[in-house]
Amino acid sequence: MPLTYHHKTHQLQLGIWKSSESMEELEQLAGLRESEIRMVQSFKSELRKKEFLSVRALLHNLHPTSSLVIQYDENGKPYLDNMLSLSISHTQDYVSVLFSPLPYVGLDLETIRPQIEKIAHKFVNDEEANYIDEKNRRQHLHILWGAKEVLYKIYGKGNVDFRGHLYVAPFKCADKGTTEATIRMPDFERTFLIHFERTENRMLAYATGE
């Protein structure tokens, strides 16, 4: 299970991991508590079990000096039992986690695929459609999607219209950069600085805030 990406500052820690181990190896790496073992045993899907174990093995690798246990609030939003904020993302055989002492965190990791064209109308509003770089349309769409997924996870309550509630400011389509993005919900309105970065054929996007 190699760590393929690691970014650490005084405000956050982010890692991406390629999960290539057997279930038995993942169980050893994850260092589960009894409650987590029971949870894994309740899953019927092998994929769900692998994702669960991979995320916890990655957390243990990033923070080996203590056992970080994932909890969930009433909306299903994850956090860590020592009150660190947490965001999780999966794509194919890769898992990623972002944790921070700041109250707002959001993370998205997506494999870059042509299928994004088919769903672009569901998350790109008219203003955003006008500034898409057509020469790099697929990557531009993945950055937009990633930024909006980050906002969705930061909000954490669901019932979000990606076209009507989430807005991404114009940005230069590149392999690495930043853009501002705003969530406008009746009970929450806030702008965040989204960091995005292409790692091989995957697009990473994340943000933190106070």
Side-chain angles (χ1 to χ4, degrees):
M1 188 184 231
L3 187 66
T4 63
Y5 180 97
H6 186 211
H7 178 56
K8 182 177 181 180
T9 71
H10 69 286
Q11 290 188 327
L12 66 88
Q13 190 163 184
L14 190 161
I16 301 174
W17 211 299
K18 184 175 182 181
S19 181
S20 55
E21 291 78 13
S22 66
M23 289 292 191
E24 292 75 17
E25 289 172 319
L26 285 173
E27 287 175 358
Q28 293 178 356
L29 290 168
L32 301 181
R33 295 185 180 182
E34 282 297 324
S35 60
E36 294 174 309
I37 292 172
R38 290 193 296 271
M39 191 178 295
V40 172
Q41 292 171 342
S42 72
F43 297 146
K44 296 180 180 179
S45 166
E46 290 297 304
L47 177 60
R48 180 71 185 93
K49 289 180 180 180
K50 186 174 183 179
E51 288 178 348
F52 183 97
L53 292 170
S54 297
V55 166
R56 283 147 183 84
L58 173 53
L59 273 175
H60 186 68
N61 179 274
L62 295 177
H63 207 290
T65 58
S66 65
S67 177
L68 299 180
V69 178
I70 300 174
Q71 308 284 349
Y72 298 89
D73 69 13
E74 65 274 14
N75 297 301
K77 185 177 182 179
Y79 64 94
L80 293 169
D81 61 352
N82 58 355
M83 300 311 294
L84 285 172
S85 300
L86 173 69
S87 191
I88 301 168
S89 189
H90 313 88
T91 182
Q92 295 182 337
D93 291 331
Y94 291 81
V95 299
S96 54
V97 299
L98 167 65
F99 57 90
S100 170
L102 300 177
Y104 300 118
V105 300
L107 168 70
D108 186 59
L109 182 67
E110 298 285 342
T111 300
I112 297 174
R113 310 176 194 177
Q115 289 88 341
I116 198 166
E117 296 278 0
K118 296 180 180 179
I119 64 168
H121 66 283
K122 295 182 179 181
F123 67 90
V124 180
N125 61 44
D126 292 342
E127 183 179 342
E128 292 158 350
N130 288 331
Y131 68 69
I132 288 176
D133 179 355
E134 291 300 329
K135 293 182 179 179
N136 299 288
R137 180 176 175 83
R138 187 175 302 168
Q139 179 158 315
H140 208 143
L141 287 174
H142 275 88
I143 298 169
L144 271 170
W145 171 261
K148 294 195 174 190
E149 272 288 306
V150 167
L151 293 180
Y152 176 79
K153 291 181 178 180
I154 286 173
Y155 181 62
K157 298 179 184 178
N159 298 316
V160 176
D161 179 349
F162 275 43
R163 297 182 79 251
H165 295 144
L166 309 179
Y167 305 86
V168 181
F171 59 90
K172 181 181 179 181
C173 185
D175 287 343
K176 186 175 183 179
T178 60
T179 184
E180 289 189 341
T182 302
I183 181 167
R184 295 174 184 156
M185 296 294 289
D187 62 340
F188 186 84
E189 183 167 340
R190 185 76 181 271
T191 297
F192 293 89
L193 182 66
I194 309 290
H195 298 261
F196 62 85
E197 182 174 350
R198 181 166 180 159
T199 62
E200 298 179 346
N201 67 325
R202 289 168 295 284
M203 184 58 66
L204 170 70
Y206 66 93
T208 61
E210 297 185 85

